[in-house]
Amino acid sequence: MYYAIVGTFMLLLPLLSIAAESLAFGAPLDAALVAKWFAFWAVGWRLLLAGCKQVAQPRYTAREILGLKSDESLILVRELGFANVAIGLVGVLSLWLPSWRLAGAFAGGVFYGLAGVMHAVQGHRNRLENVAMVSDLGACAVLLGACLLVLGQRGAAGRRAACRESAQDRTVTAPLTTETI
């Protein structure tokens, strides 16, 4: 079940949503569209559902995924669940609050990157932790890559607009000469 959930929310649903919006509604296939749907599915629903599971049943994450046997770890897994619920809600709500989209994608990308690195440095990973590591690092690359591309596009658009405004100012303002005084 874990494999299906990870594959569905981290890859299948974002890709289907990107394809549907692009093909059915004519949205440009760009980094903003990728950020929108990966923030909604991979950050939003994936982390929200994982967080709810970690809050309600911390033992599963502790024992099955992280390989921790002590009940002392359950409080930390539950707190991880609270963080996942909070980040997940930002991702889900970003579909209706577009100004939250890049923040959700960025926070999720950073979270997934750090979690993926932590999984990678574990010498005793089990199969579930390997899946978590690969999916976390993949999501990190997609989310942070999309954020960088969107910000780069916005920066370039802002520079072009500033150049246009500067050119218009030069053509509208007549030079000051003794004849115009």
Side-chain angles (χ1 to χ4, degrees):
M1 184 66 149
Y2 177 75
Y3 302 114
I5 290 170
V6 170
T8 299
F9 286 98
M10 302 285 276
L11 194 62
L12 182 64
L13 289 172
L15 292 178
L16 286 174
S17 298
I18 291 166
E21 186 166 348
S22 183
L23 296 173
F25 301 107
L29 188 55
D30 60 8
L33 189 63
V34 171
K36 173 183 182 176
W37 290 111
F38 272 87
F40 180 72
W41 290 115
V43 175
W45 284 108
R46 172 69 185 108
L47 291 181
L48 181 59
L49 293 174
C52 289
K53 174 95 172 171
Q54 291 159 343
V55 170
Q57 298 174 335
R59 190 167 274 111
Y60 176 80
T61 298
R63 297 219 167 99
E64 301 300 320
I65 298 175
L66 301 175
L68 303 172
K69 305 300 180 208
S70 168
D71 281 350
E72 293 173 352
S73 66
L74 300 183
I75 187 125
L76 292 175
V77 171
R78 192 167 273 132
E79 287 190 22
L80 170 64
F82 298 146
N84 280 338
V85 166
I87 296 171
L89 285 171
V90 172
V92 169
L93 293 174
S94 74
L95 191 62
W96 296 279
L97 299 167
S99 63
W100 290 20
R101 203 163 286 154
L102 278 186
F106 181 75
V110 170
F111 172 79
Y112 280 130
L114 294 172
V117 168
M118 284 305 301
H119 291 302
V121 299
Q122 295 297 321
H124 58 282
R125 287 187 311 272
N126 60 33
R127 289 172 70 192
L128 294 177
E129 195 169 5
N130 281 330
V131 169
M133 177 188 68
V134 169
S135 63
D136 288 353
L137 293 174
C140 170
V142 170
L143 290 160
L144 293 183
C147 285
L148 287 173
L149 288 171
V150 168
L151 291 173
Q153 291 166 351
R154 287 183 182 173
R159 286 189 297 276
R160 284 193 300 274
C163 287
R164 280 193 303 274
E165 288 174 13
S166 177
Q168 288 173 347
D169 288 345
R170 284 192 302 269
T171 58
V172 171
T173 306
L176 205 51
T177 64
T178 55
E179 295 173 357
T180 58
I181 298 180

